[in-house]
Amino acid sequence: MDPKARNLFITKLFFMWVALLGLSHAAWADKTKPALKALEKGEFDKVEELVIKSLEKDSINPGSKYVFSLLYATSSFPRYNVDSAHFFVSAAQREFDLVSEKDQEGLIKDDVTRVLIESHHSHVDSLAFAVAVSKNSLGAYNYYIERYEDSALLNEAVKRRNTVAFNLAAQTGTWQSYKGFLDTYPQAAEVGKAKKEYDRLIFEEKTHSGGLEEMEGFLDNQPETPYREILEEKIFGFMAGFGEPHKILNFLANYDNALLGKKALNLLHHIKPDNKDYLKILNSSPWKSHLDSLNELKEVNQPVLVPFLADGKYGFGNLNGDIVIDLQFDQIEEEHYCGNISGDVLSITLDKTNLLVNRKLDTIYQGRFDRHVDLGNGILKVVNKGKAGALHKSGFRVLPFIYEDVSMLNNNLLKTKRAGKYGISGFLGKEFVAPKYDNIYLSHGFIVIEEKGRISINLASSFLDNLKNDKFNPVFKYEDFEIIGSNVICFDGDDEMLLDSLLNEVVPMGPHRINTKFETWVVKQANGYRLFDRQTEKLQSEVYANVIQNEQWMAVKNQKWSLYSKSISDVPIVGLDSVNLLGEDIALMFRGESGTAIFPNKKIVEFSKDEKLRSIGSGKNTNVHFLVISRGGKNILYRDGERVIESVYEIGYIADNVFSAKARGEYGAMDTKAQLIMRVRYDAIGEAENGISPVLYNGRFGAYNFNDRILISLKFDEKLKPYNDELLITKSRDKIGLYSVKNENVVDNEYDEILYWSDSIALVKKDREWSLHGIYDDKPVFSGITDFDFISRNESEIVIKYRTATGMGVYSTQHGSLFEPTFNDIINIGTEETPFYFCEKSIREADYYVAVYKNARGETVRTQAYRGSEYEKIVCEN
């Protein structure tokens, strides 16, 4: 039989065997043993002929199929084929159990046993496996796995196939290739490695720009990513790094992160503790314990603290002398010695360890430091060996100790200084701007950056946005600037420029002059004047030949003059031949020969061109406006357009209802009916204050009480000064006294100084000694004071500490002597509103000191004795 015929026969035989499988077979004529002998001799054609004849007689023929498998597994056989060998040995192995015991015994006699078939089966599998290993390809292993599913080497093939697949994915090196591997081979040993690389690569690709939206979107799509913690930390940095409450609240609402959530709440507690959404979150179940802690901290932060020292240990008390923080510390910051501690951070040493703690004694910082400064918003500047860093009061470090200085730029940013240059960092420590500029500061809502004599001006809001988006790129356009209200005028050499409140260019840089004195600004250009309306922030397009202004009026000219009330938005009076402005409140309009004075209330007074006009009034801002017109030898006074008086005297202003009358260089005073109140004889009469005017006559000073129309003695060397509403301080022959506004000598001029104590008692100095002296009964209330200092000085109470020959004491307008002057020194370590007195008694020869603590009522609440070395550790040196 030729080879092609044999192959065709084998194929037909295969399909016939499949069809007849399971049917009872006819008794065969066994050809197995002869075929095996022929195979041993290498008589391959004979083997084929014998096997085929045997199979033609019976398709269920394990012996022949076993021989066929041996044939195809023989490497010298021209049609050597491992797959064919596998096909026939698998069939032989299955059919061996299908034949009868008698047939099996016959096969065994022919040297065909179950063990030999299984052994050969394993050998064929190993031959095929060797082929797959030699190719070491995904296709080769998959081929083996699909066709040799009963092989003992199947698991090894699967393992090697998976390794090849993993290596291919690794060679491609994309998250897509690893995802394909994970989806296709979920049971592979390399799944862990592939998942790790997949997570890393997709994380890097999907978040490479580092943008907030990108990171949040990645977490939405990859909620189980192992990089969640990293991403949430970065997202928190975006949302909280600028200290914006609404962004921090947004993080709390969207991310269930206990550690960062607590950090966010701590930030909000110091930035905006009254925010409603913040309080709502605090009251929710996850954070109630934190709320309790914050409430406890809030309670202990309320009292002002003072330091105590006993038996070498420091503690703190309130302004009643009660201990609120036990005496337990080895040392406290020297600034704490002076008391009045309202801050919520204490600098202490405990067990030889330097600590910054809150009032609950929770540690904020542990380690060496020289001093700390509260910058606000929960940020502490801490200085160590001359280098400044920053901490948050909740305990995390914001900036390392590498800066020359750290300060608050605004409510959102920190200003850093290093090597003489300034930069910007956020509340979580991220450096947004490296320290490389000459200065950075906040001015009227604008961030100003200086570099090499040039400046860059930025809106605070857009500046923050640029920092967030890494678009910080300052442009140094200007040499100097001035911020007026919400507008900015910039200078470059002799040129000026006007920017609106959003830093949009209104007037370009050029040789302009911008007058900003009045409500409407005037821009002087080469071709004339233009007006800038500050209400609309618009520069008017019209160019005027001239513009004049005062506080109440503005006049503009082209062909004719137009008059506005302060602003260009007012309805103007037009068609005027000329306009003059008088003082700061009156405008003079002319049409032909006719003149009209107009007041701020729009009332008018007619006048002629040959008449003299004067504006008079208070040097202070007032709603009453006066005009004097000299007409026909008379002076006529108008108040807000209404005629008041007519007089031969030159009229001046004393008060809204009193006017000076001047003639021949001398002054008097008259009322609104032109009746003289004071004769015209004085050298000068000043503007009245509370109805009292200073008066000068023949070189001597006095005063006039217009309320009661009383002249106060004209005999003093200096202008009289008010002591209170009823008394005036006078000076004569270098001595001080008191006169009443009724012209009564109340206190003779015998003192070197008089200070207000009360309406009935004055603090007076005479012969280098101060005393409290009754004003009206001329009796000493308290004397012998050699020196004093004000402890508090307000409308409700004046308190002084004073020194006498016997020592120091404290005296109050409300309580008199709080305690006797028996102390060597007194220091108020409380507040101005609620003093708390550290009083010292000392025996210097014995180097022994007693500290007596007294409350605001002068009651002794604590005493403590010290040796000199101990005393230095508690006494305030300020």
Side-chain angles (χ1 to χ4, degrees):
M1 187 181 291
D2 63 83
K4 288 185 178 181
R6 287 192 187 93
N7 289 338
L8 180 60
F9 171 76
I10 292 169
T11 302
K12 289 180 179 180
L13 185 63
F14 170 75
F15 287 110
M16 182 187 304
W17 172 75
V18 172
L20 294 175
L21 185 63
L23 296 176
S24 60
H25 63 280
W28 64 39
D30 187 20
K31 302 291 183 181
T32 303
K33 195 163 188 176
L36 286 172
K37 289 182 178 180
L39 182 61
E40 288 178 3
K41 296 177 181 178
E43 297 172 348
F44 300 136
D45 290 341
K46 185 177 181 180
V47 173
E48 281 187 303
E49 182 179 353
L50 291 170
V51 171
I52 289 171
K53 286 181 178 181
S54 178
L55 287 173
E56 285 176 343
K57 293 179 179 180
D58 196 341
S59 62
I60 299 178
N61 192 337
S64 296
K65 290 176 181 176
Y66 169 66
V67 175
F68 236 165
S69 179
L70 290 174
L71 176 65
Y72 278 100
T74 301
S75 60
S76 57
F77 179 52
R79 289 187 300 282
Y80 171 83
N81 189 298
V82 177
D83 286 346
S84 295
H86 178 260
F87 170 77
F88 285 110
V89 76
S90 295
Q93 188 170 346
R94 283 192 302 273
E95 292 176 8
F96 191 88
D97 293 327
L98 293 177
V99 299
S100 65
E101 290 184 10
K102 183 179 179 181
D103 290 336
Q104 289 181 2
E105 290 174 357
L107 287 170
I108 293 171
K109 289 179 181 179
D110 290 338
D111 295 328
V112 179
T113 67
R114 179 183 287 107
V115 173
L116 286 174
I117 294 173
E118 288 176 354
S119 176
H120 178 61
H121 193 164
S122 296
H123 173 67
V124 170
D125 288 346
S126 65
L127 290 175
F129 183 73
V131 173
V133 169
S134 67
K135 293 181 178 179
N136 198 35
S137 68
L138 197 61
Y141 285 121
N142 277 331
Y143 183 86
Y144 183 85
I145 292 165
E146 290 171 6
R147 289 179 175 259
Y148 295 82
E149 58 184 8
D150 55 353
S151 170
L153 297 170
L154 181 67
N155 289 337
E156 180 63 21
V158 169
K159 180 180 177 182
R160 289 174 177 256
R161 185 271 314 273
N162 292 347
T163 299
V164 170
F166 175 78
N167 290 336
L168 288 172
Q171 186 177 352
T172 304
T174 65
W175 65 264
Q176 292 92 338
S177 66
Y178 283 110
K179 186 176 188 305
F181 174 82
L182 291 167
D183 291 343
T184 307
Y185 309 106
Q187 304 302 318
E190 293 84 0
V191 161
K193 293 180 181 178
K195 183 67 166 59
K196 184 177 180 180
E197 288 301 300
Y198 165 77
D199 287 333
R200 179 183 68 83
L201 290 168
I202 195 171
F203 164 72
E204 291 176 351
E205 179 177 314
K206 298 295 184 180
T207 65
H208 74 280
S209 70
L212 177 61
E213 291 184 6
E214 187 180 65
M215 290 190 291
E216 288 189 305
F218 179 77
L219 281 182
D220 288 341
N221 293 323
Q222 300 282 330
E224 302 302 323
T225 176
Y227 295 93
R228 172 170 283 278
E229 186 175 335
I230 294 172
L231 284 172
E232 288 187 353
E233 184 79 36
K234 289 184 177 181
I235 290 169
F236 181 72
F238 268 95
M239 292 187 169
F242 292 91
E244 298 169 291
H246 67 286
K247 294 288 184 66
I248 301 173
L249 285 165
N250 189 30
F251 180 86
L252 282 166
N254 289 287
Y255 296 94
D256 184 17
N257 186 310
L259 183 64
L260 294 176
K262 185 176 181 180
K263 198 171 186 179
L265 290 173
N266 285 329
L267 287 170
L268 286 169
H269 174 71
H270 293 284
I271 296 171
K272 202 162 188 178
D274 57 348
N275 184 285
K276 292 181 180 179
D277 293 326
Y278 163 65
L279 295 174
K280 184 178 179 180
I281 288 174
L282 272 179
N283 280 287
S284 63
S285 56
W287 302 110
K288 281 187 177 179
S289 61
H290 191 63
L291 174 62
D292 293 339
S293 177
L294 290 177
N295 285 337
E296 184 182 349
L297 191 59
K298 183 178 180 181
E299 184 176 348
V300 300
N301 283 339
Q302 288 180 353
V304 173
L305 299 182
V306 294
F308 296 132
L309 173 64
D311 299 325
K313 297 294 183 181
Y314 291 89
F316 297 93
N318 59 27
L319 298 186
N320 291 320
D322 305 318
I323 298 291
V324 294
I325 299 178
D326 290 339
L327 283 74
Q328 57 187 297
F329 309 120
D330 304 325
Q331 184 56 274
I332 62 174
E333 189 175 276
E334 285 191 19
E335 288 188 9
H336 292 335
Y337 294 176
C338 294
N340 191 14
I341 303 168
S342 57
D344 51 4
V345 175
L346 301 173
S347 173
I348 63 170
T349 301
L350 182 63
D351 297 330
K352 298 182 181 180
T353 302
N354 295 330
L355 299 170
L356 284 175
V357 298
N358 63 24
R359 292 197 185 186
K360 287 172 57 182
L361 303 187
D362 299 325
T363 298
I364 296 171
Y365 176 73
Q366 176 177 326
R368 188 188 181 284
F369 62 94
D370 302 324
R371 61 188 177 88
H372 77 280
V373 179
D374 193 334
L375 300 180
N377 281 352
I379 305 297
L380 298 172
K381 176 174 76 173
V382 180
V383 179
N384 181 26
K385 296 181 180 179
K387 293 296 184 180
L391 306 171
H392 192 267
K393 289 181 181 179
S394 61
F396 66 86
R397 179 174 290 192
V398 178
L399 296 174
F401 295 100
I402 60 173
Y403 300 98
E404 293 165 23
D405 193 20
V406 176
S407 59
M408 194 70 71
L409 180 62
N410 62 0
N411 290 331
N412 308 96
L413 299 168
L414 295 172
K415 174 180 174 180
T416 59
K417 182 181 181 182
R418 194 174 184 187
K421 297 290 186 177
Y422 293 90
I424 297 173
S425 291
F427 277 15
L428 297 179
K430 182 177 179 180
E431 184 177 78
F432 298 117
V433 178
K436 63 178 183 179
Y437 298 101
D438 293 339
N439 203 358
I440 301 174
Y441 55 93
L442 180 71
S443 180
H444 298 81
F446 298 100
I447 302 289
V448 182
I449 306 174
E450 295 184 359
E451 177 67 5
K452 297 179 181 178
R454 308 288 292 177
I455 62 170
S456 170
I457 304 175
N458 311 268
L459 276 176
S461 57
S462 59
F463 184 83
L464 282 177
D465 290 339
N466 287 336
L467 287 184
K468 292 173 188 176
N469 298 313
D470 293 325
K471 294 180 180 178
F472 174 71
N473 186 26
V475 180
F476 298 94
K477 296 181 179 180
Y478 317 114
E479 188 177 275
D480 202 357
F481 72 100
E482 180 181 5
I483 299 174
I484 304 175
S486 59
N487 300 112
V488 184
I489 299 177
C490 302
F491 307 94
D492 194 6
D494 293 330
D495 293 343
E496 296 183 11
M497 179 182 199
L498 175 61
L499 306 175
D500 66 16
S501 57
L502 298 177
L503 297 182
N504 298 311
E505 182 181 291
V506 178
V507 178
M509 187 66 74
H512 322 293
R513 291 297 173 265
I514 304 171
N515 186 343
T516 61
K517 181 178 180 181
F518 302 106
E519 185 171 315
T520 298
W521 291 359
V522 178
V523 181
K524 183 179 180 182
Q525 300 175 328
N527 60 338
Y529 300 83
R530 295 176 70 185
L531 305 178
F532 175 69
D533 187 344
R534 295 184 67 196
Q535 298 298 320
T536 63
E537 292 197 304
K538 301 295 184 184
L539 182 68
Q540 302 297 314
S541 59
E542 189 166 358
V543 179
Y544 299 100
N546 199 4
V547 177
I548 57 175
Q549 294 172 286
N550 64 14
E551 289 288 349
Q552 295 292 333
W553 300 99
M554 178 177 67
V556 299
K557 180 186 179 184
N558 271 332
Q559 297 299 320
K560 292 281 189 177
W561 285 88
S562 296
L563 182 67
Y564 295 85
S565 176
K566 290 187 180 181
S567 171
I568 194 69
S569 60
D570 183 45
V571 178
I573 301 171
V574 299
L576 302 173
D577 294 330
S578 66
V579 176
N580 287 325
L581 301 179
L582 196 61
E584 293 299 332
D585 50 9
I586 297 172
L588 307 179
M589 307 178 293
F590 298 91
R591 283 192 177 96
E593 297 298 317
S594 174
T596 304
I598 183 168
F599 290 79
N601 62 0
K602 303 293 181 72
K603 289 189 177 182
I604 61 173
V605 174
E606 304 290 341
F607 66 92
S608 61
K609 282 191 173 183
D610 60 344
E611 293 174 340
K612 182 179 178 182
L613 283 74
R614 289 186 301 112
S615 172
I616 65 171
S618 172
K620 303 173 183 177
N621 291 331
T622 176
N623 292 322
V624 184
H625 311 278
F626 296 95
L627 173 67
V628 177
I629 300 179
S630 298
R631 180 181 294 154
K634 298 289 185 69
N635 293 299
I636 304 168
L637 176 68
Y638 294 88
R639 178 169 57 198
D640 290 326
E642 300 293 336
R643 182 176 175 136
V644 181
I645 57 176
E646 180 178 317
S647 174
V648 296
Y649 296 109
E650 183 179 331
I651 301 172
Y653 181 85
I654 294 175
D656 285 353
N657 294 305
V658 181
F659 307 93
S660 64
K662 181 182 178 184
R664 302 175 302 280
E666 295 180 334
Y667 292 86
M670 58 184 168
D671 60 19
T672 55
K673 296 181 180 179
Q675 298 297 315
L676 286 176
I677 301 170
M678 299 173 66
R679 286 186 295 156
V680 180
R681 67 181 184 124
Y682 300 97
D683 301 332
I685 302 174
E687 184 176 337
E689 185 172 349
N690 297 323
I692 309 297
S693 283
V695 177
L696 180 65
Y697 181 69
N698 288 334
R700 308 294 290 171
F701 288 90
Y704 194 88
N705 175 357
F706 286 102
N707 297 323
D708 302 306
R709 297 201 174 187
I710 297 173
L711 179 65
I712 299 169
S713 182
L714 298 165
K715 62 179 182 180
F716 302 108
D717 298 337
E718 290 183 1
K719 180 180 174 180
L720 283 64
K721 302 173 184 177
Y723 175 85
N724 60 13
D725 291 341
E726 298 297 325
L727 298 174
L728 299 168
I729 298 174
T730 62
K731 186 173 185 180
S732 179
R733 298 181 301 279
D734 292 330
K735 295 296 181 180
I736 307 296
L738 293 175
Y739 246 70
S740 78
V741 295
K742 307 289 188 182
N743 195 32
E744 300 165 336
N745 182 29
V746 178
V747 175
D748 290 337
N749 291 85
E750 58 182 55
Y751 298 102
D752 300 317
E753 197 169 347
I754 294 179
L755 297 176
Y756 181 83
W757 184 258
S758 71
D759 288 344
S760 59
I761 298 173
L763 184 59
V764 299
K765 183 180 182 182
K766 186 177 182 180
D767 298 330
R768 299 183 180 180
E769 184 175 284
W770 289 90
S771 64
L772 293 169
H773 199 85
I775 293 174
Y776 296 104
D777 60 9
D778 195 27
K779 293 181 179 180
V781 177
F782 193 85
S783 58
I785 301 173
T786 58
D787 195 11
F788 72 92
D789 283 312
F790 288 100
I791 290 175
S792 62
R793 194 176 188 180
N794 51 59
E795 292 182 1
S796 61
E797 185 180 22
I798 299 175
V799 181
I800 60 170
K801 65 175 182 178
Y802 63 90
R803 185 179 295 279
T804 70
T806 60
M808 294 190 72
V810 171
Y811 205 94
S812 160
T813 54
Q814 287 189 5
H815 306 289
S817 179
L818 288 177
F819 44 88
E820 296 303 313
T822 60
F823 297 99
N824 298 100
D825 197 5
I826 295 172
I827 303 167
N828 176 22
I829 60 174
T831 67
E832 183 175 336
E833 296 76 17
T834 308
F836 189 80
Y837 304 104
F838 176 96
C839 308
E840 172 204 309
K841 285 190 176 183
S842 62
I843 306 173
R844 299 191 184 278
E845 293 82 359
D847 195 25
Y848 193 77
Y849 298 83
V850 176
V852 180
Y853 295 88
K854 292 179 177 288
N855 62 22
R857 297 180 296 278
E859 301 165 341
T860 299
V861 296
R862 185 179 180 86
T863 60
Q864 189 72 45
Y866 301 102
R867 291 294 180 185
S869 58
E870 289 181 295
Y871 185 69
E872 291 177 358
K873 295 179 180 179
I874 192 62
V875 65
C876 172
E877 299 293 346
N878 291 347

